[in-house]
Amino acid sequence: MHEIRDQYGDGHLVFVLRCIKQTNNNRDELWSETIGAVSDILIQRQDWALDRPSEVLEAFDTIPLGILRGKAVARRPWPVRATLRTYIYDRLESILDEPEQRLAV
């Protein structure tokens, strides 16, 4: 968390933690890989974090971070953070992006 705060600031770190702690069924998912994966996504997709924060939080309500982390751990030796980032991003993209935007990428 110190690295994230030092690199991206307090506001970013607070929002990352809110995406985990203040969403359904994710309150106990403060694993370093999960925090890092959520941070990576929100840095990559700042349009979500800055323009639509309430929608992002609502989307995280539907994402079972613990289950996705378990799947990522089972894929070792692949890096857990990178695998988890992909799983979470895929879920967020299906909720937050328009269908035609997803096809263009």
Side-chain angles (χ1 to χ4, degrees):
M1 288 194 294
H2 291 290
E3 290 176 17
I4 292 170
R5 190 181 108 227
D6 290 346
Q7 191 164 6
Y8 301 110
D10 290 331
H12 174 75
L13 178 59
V14 167
F15 190 61
V16 167
L17 296 175
R18 286 184 66 208
C19 287
I20 299 167
K21 289 290 286 178
Q22 293 182 355
T23 56
N24 293 332
N25 304 314
N26 291 323
R27 291 183 177 95
D28 297 326
E29 298 304 323
L30 287 177
W31 298 89
S32 62
E33 297 98 344
T34 304
I35 295 167
V38 172
S39 174
D40 294 345
I41 292 166
L42 296 177
I43 290 300
Q44 179 67 32
R45 291 301 304 264
Q46 291 184 26
D47 57 314
W48 291 345
L50 298 175
D51 300 337
R52 303 162 58 195
S54 61
E55 292 177 52
V56 171
L57 290 171
E58 288 176 19
F60 269 99
D61 278 336
T62 68
I63 299 172
L65 294 176
I67 292 170
L68 295 181
R69 184 179 180 282
K71 287 176 62 175
V73 167
R75 300 302 187 275
R76 282 183 175 153
W78 293 353
V80 173
R81 178 176 174 169
T83 305
L84 181 57
R85 177 177 54 230
T86 302
Y87 291 150
I88 296 169
Y89 186 89
D90 186 56
R91 297 281 184 103
L92 287 171
E93 184 180 50
S94 70
I95 297 166
L96 297 171
D97 278 348
E98 296 295 324
E100 55 275 357
Q101 185 178 356
R102 286 195 306 268
L103 294 175
V105 173

